[in-house]
Structures are given as structure tokens and as C-alpha cells.
Amino acid sequence: MRFGFVLPYGDARTAGDLAAMAEEHGWDGFFVWEGIWAIDAWVSLTAAAMTTNQIRLGTMLTPLPRRQPWELASQTSTLDNLSGGRVTLSVGLGVTGDDRWWLFESDPGRKVRAERLDEGLAMVSKLWTGTPFDYAGKHFRSRATGSLVPPAAPPPVQKPRIPVWVVGGWPRPKSMRRAAAWDGWLPHYAPHDTSAGSDFTPDMLAEGTDWIRAHRAAQGLTMDDYDVVMEGTTPHDDPVAAAEIVRPWADAGATWWLDADWSSLDPDEVRSASERRLRAGPPRPARLGSVG
């Protein structure tokens, strides 16, 4: 199991400082929040790349239906080259029902956002190859071109591509198929019966992981290098309690734990709380030993 830290709010300088601290104290990934009108996540991750050597870098998460795929492909490929192949792209449909997310456009609805997510992923993956291609979707399109002057962004360092983690709503088959087709599952509980409660449990994670395993097997794919990612909050001052929060998720099949505390967005409070949590080290259950 690997362990990442999510910075809920902070400028690029803070991201660079805290990413270095995360790497120093044994964390495996550093992630930042990406908004629509916000501190630029990719500038922040660039700062983090310049202060680190090994830790993985990404967003939590990118609302791809709101982005132009070619711009995102340029940002991620450029950062992957700068960092020596350490980028992870996390994507989802984007938040609905919150005014701050829809200041500049109207929400086209979940169906359209899902279409744009699928087309966006298809285009980004083609753009990462660095070769010309034709694409004609409902929302995005591209025509093949010859050599560009100046040339396009170089392909990512990572092969066959930058790993892509996708939100999958359990137990919704269409949403889960999308997550299963890429490189990691970001679980979201979406019960058909809303009276069933809103808590996502380790048993549900295990069921979802088994579903993904079976679906991938039917497509001729394995679970090798496929990630199951859980996010939560653990205390900085009680390593035993922190490890016990993580243990059932590890037992259920999670391959990443992302520590995130969204209780405050005050930059001073976030920075001090983040420093305390990072210095305490990852909430690794003792029996897991070193990173697997």
C-alpha cells in the first residue's frame, strides 16, 4: 500500500514546501485540489516537482468535462517530463449543485458531463502519444496535422501513458466500467436506494474491487499495476489509531491511502495542520511493513 497527502488549499509556494516535507517523511504521493477559478493546480504541482525527486504528483481531482483535453494533455505531459515521470491524473465528472463551480457556464447535466469525460479521456490519451490523429466526437474533435512549428509538447516519460485514476460510482455499472478501463478506481458511493445510507464501507470497497477484477479479466486485463484509492483523515498525534483507520481499507484491497483533511480552508491553519500531519509520517499499519 502507498500513502499520499492531499493539500486542500494553499498557493504554489506552499505546495512546493509541503511536497518536499512529504517526501522527506516517507510519503509516496502529493496531491492538490483543482478548481475552476482557483489557484492553478498545475503551477502548484510544478513547484512541487522542483522541490522533490521521487514522490508522485497529481490532482484530487481534475474535472475533465470542464477542461479542454489538449490543454490538459500539454500540462500533464510537460509536468511528467519535468518531474521525470511522476504524474498521476485523477479525473471525475466535476461537482454539481455548488454555485462556485458554475460561475461561468450552466451545468449541462450529468449525461453530457459523462460524455465529455469519456471523449476527453480518449483525446488526452491520443494526444499523449505525440502522433497525429483524427477524432470526431460529439463534443470534441481533431484533425490530423503534419509537423507543428514550434512542435507540440513531448510525449510523457511514463509508458504506455500517465496513469489515470477515474471516479467510479459503486454500484453503478456504467460508471464502474469507465473506472475499470483505466488505471485506478476512485470510489464514490452511489446507491440506487438512497435510503440505504451514505456510508461507504470496506466491504463495499472489496465488492467493487472484485467487480473491477472480473470486468477487467473479461477484457483480457489484469489487476497488475491497477490502483484502488481511498481518501480519509487520520490523526497526527496517535500513530496506532491512524494505522487502525487505514487497516480495514488495506484489507479490503485499497492500494493507496490519501490523507486529506477538509475541515478548514484557512491557509494558515491548513499549512500548520499539514506540517503536523506530514511530519508524523504515513499511517502505515505495522504489518504492511515497507511500501508494496
Side-chain angles (χ1 to χ4, degrees):
M1 192 179 209
R2 296 183 179 181
F3 297 85
F5 181 83
V6 182
L7 175 64
Y9 186 77
D11 61 16
R13 190 180 301 276
T14 298
D17 292 345
L18 294 182
M21 184 178 293
E23 185 167 270
E24 178 185 356
H25 290 278
W27 298 79
D28 305 296
F30 184 83
F31 300 82
V32 299
W33 176 76
E34 181 170 1
I36 298 301
W37 172 233
I39 293 169
D40 189 277
W42 298 98
V43 172
S44 294
L45 291 172
T46 298
M50 296 298 290
T51 61
T52 59
N53 296 298
Q54 297 179 330
I55 199 168
R56 294 201 65 82
L57 306 167
T59 57
M60 193 49 59
L61 49 73
T62 295
L64 181 51
R66 312 289 301 279
R67 299 293 313 276
Q68 302 287 15
W70 44 92
E71 292 180 353
L72 182 61
S74 296
Q75 290 172 312
T76 50
S77 186
T78 300
L79 182 60
D80 203 58
N81 277 271
L82 174 66
S83 66
R86 294 188 280 134
V87 174
T88 296
L89 177 62
S90 304
V91 299
L93 294 180
V95 176
T96 186
D98 186 336
D99 286 345
R100 86 171 308 276
W101 286 88
W102 301 102
L103 292 171
F104 311 110
E105 59 185 314
S106 298
D107 184 353
R110 184 181 182 86
K111 180 177 183 295
V112 170
R113 284 186 283 118
E115 293 170 350
R116 289 175 64 90
L117 176 56
D118 289 332
E119 290 187 16
L121 284 169
M123 281 201 73
V124 166
S125 63
K126 290 179 180 293
L127 287 157
W128 280 337
T129 67
T131 58
F133 66 94
D134 291 305
Y135 186 83
K138 184 176 179 180
H139 303 281
F140 301 115
R141 62 197 58 84
S142 175
R143 58 184 176 84
T145 63
S147 299
L148 298 176
V149 181
V157 172
Q158 297 179 88
K159 304 301 178 187
R161 61 165 180 265
I162 291 171
V164 179
W165 294 347
V166 182
V167 172
W170 177 252
R172 308 277 179 159
K174 185 174 182 179
S175 180
M176 292 295 292
R177 283 195 294 270
R178 179 184 297 115
W182 293 90
D183 308 300
W185 174 35
L186 296 166
H188 170 66
Y189 185 36
H192 296 283
D193 180 6
T194 56
S195 66
S198 59
D199 290 338
F200 188 70
T201 67
D203 285 344
M204 293 175 186
L205 183 78
E207 292 171 5
T209 302
D210 287 343
W211 190 98
I212 289 173
R213 180 178 293 106
H215 181 79
R216 286 177 64 85
Q219 308 301 313
L221 301 171
T222 71
M223 293 294 281
D224 294 345
D225 300 321
Y226 188 88
D227 288 313
V228 177
V229 187
M230 275 305 302
E231 179 181 319
T233 305
T234 61
H236 73 277
D237 54 355
D238 189 338
V240 173
E244 287 307 308
I245 291 172
V246 173
R247 186 186 303 279
W249 299 105
D251 291 341
T255 64
W256 274 85
W257 172 269
L258 303 185
D259 226 274
D261 182 357
W262 300 93
S263 61
S264 173
L265 296 182
D266 177 88
D268 293 332
E269 291 181 8
V270 169
R271 172 128 191 177
S272 60
S274 297
E275 290 179 352
R276 288 193 298 271
R277 188 65 201 85
L278 289 171
R279 287 194 179 102
R284 183 176 290 116
R287 66 168 181 75
L288 291 179
S290 59
V291 174

